[in-house]
Amino acid sequence: MRSEADFLIEVVERLDQTGMAYMLTGSMASNYWGIPRTTHDLDFVLVLDLASVERFVLAFEPGFFVQSQSVRAALRPPHQFNVLDEQSALKADFWVLRDNSYEQAAFARRVVVDLFGRRAPLATAEDLILHKLYWNQITPSDRQLQDAAGVFAVQAGALDLAYMRQWVGTLGVKQQLDELLSGKLKPKST
């Protein structure tokens, strides 16, 4: 069975073959920046337009279950589709980069890091925290808050707090960020 690390490497290699701009986000990115936890899927933000749909689909054949109509439908809300590994049933969720100021800024700030021996673009620690706090507003989850707190616990001295404060109003997460900075939000303890 394919490991999560092998799955990540395979997806990144196939994405690189497309020449499309992307970044890894979600729990795998929070594992990189913060306190690792088990995850069973990958989350990517992808620049996608109608002309690149077939290029994307072809890059994931064979070996992955991906449907052209699902990829094409992601050009409209909710701007999301997934790809399944036929060997392991591991899943990669793809979110199409939307034309809003925060998402564009976060995407522009992505950094290239080494993940399991492979270079890949990754959401910054600041944007990952903001994203986790934002998603907790949409679908409340202790896991989102614990991931944000785990990244903060590891990266606290290196974070650009002015940048984070710049976006809290837009994202509606000022209270959550204040709780994180004051120590009220804690990472998962083992």
Side-chain angles (χ1 to χ4, degrees):
M1 176 158 310
R2 188 189 306 245
S3 71
E4 290 173 353
D6 291 338
F7 179 56
L8 172 64
I9 291 167
E10 180 76 17
V11 172
V12 165
E13 287 175 351
R14 289 182 185 232
L15 281 169
D16 287 345
Q17 289 172 11
T18 70
M20 298 165 72
Y22 69 93
M23 74 176 173
L24 179 65
T25 189
S27 56
M28 189 63 79
S30 71
N31 285 352
Y32 179 85
W33 293 116
I35 298 171
R37 69 168 171 86
T38 303
T39 181
H40 298 291
D41 67 353
L42 303 175
D43 295 291
F44 291 90
V45 174
L46 175 72
V47 175
L48 180 75
D49 59 21
L50 190 57
S52 58
V53 168
E54 288 308 313
R55 179 170 26 130
F56 179 91
V57 171
L58 288 173
F60 282 86
E61 293 177 348
F64 290 83
F65 178 76
V66 58
Q67 296 178 310
S68 292
Q69 63 268 30
S70 295
V71 177
R72 196 171 296 107
L75 295 169
R76 300 179 310 276
H79 302 287
Q80 188 268 339
F81 67 94
N82 55 51
V83 172
L84 297 172
D85 178 25
E86 292 175 346
Q87 290 179 17
S88 66
L90 291 170
K91 179 178 70 146
D93 291 321
F94 290 88
W95 302 90
V96 177
L97 179 64
R98 296 180 305 158
D99 188 22
N100 75 48
S101 57
Y102 172 69
E103 287 189 23
Q104 293 290 323
F107 194 78
R109 294 180 78 242
R110 69 194 187 280
V111 294
V112 177
V113 301
D114 182 68
L115 294 169
F116 308 108
R118 179 77 184 173
R119 306 283 291 160
L122 187 70
T124 65
E126 295 89 353
D127 288 310
L128 192 59
I129 289 170
L130 290 170
H131 184 78
K132 292 283 185 179
L133 296 176
Y134 174 74
W135 270 100
N136 184 64
Q137 299 280 36
I138 296 170
T139 56
S141 163
D142 286 342
R143 187 169 34 184
Q144 299 284 5
L145 296 175
Q146 291 168 348
D147 283 351
V151 173
F152 181 75
V154 174
Q155 301 296 327
L159 293 171
D160 182 346
L161 296 178
Y163 170 82
M164 295 173 73
R165 286 187 180 106
Q166 172 187 345
W167 292 106
V168 294
T170 302
L171 298 172
V173 297
K174 182 182 183 323
Q175 178 183 342
Q176 291 84 353
L177 183 62
D178 289 345
E179 290 174 359
L180 181 66
L181 297 177
S182 70
K184 289 181 182 172
L185 295 181
K186 304 278 186 203
K188 182 177 181 179
S189 58
T190 54

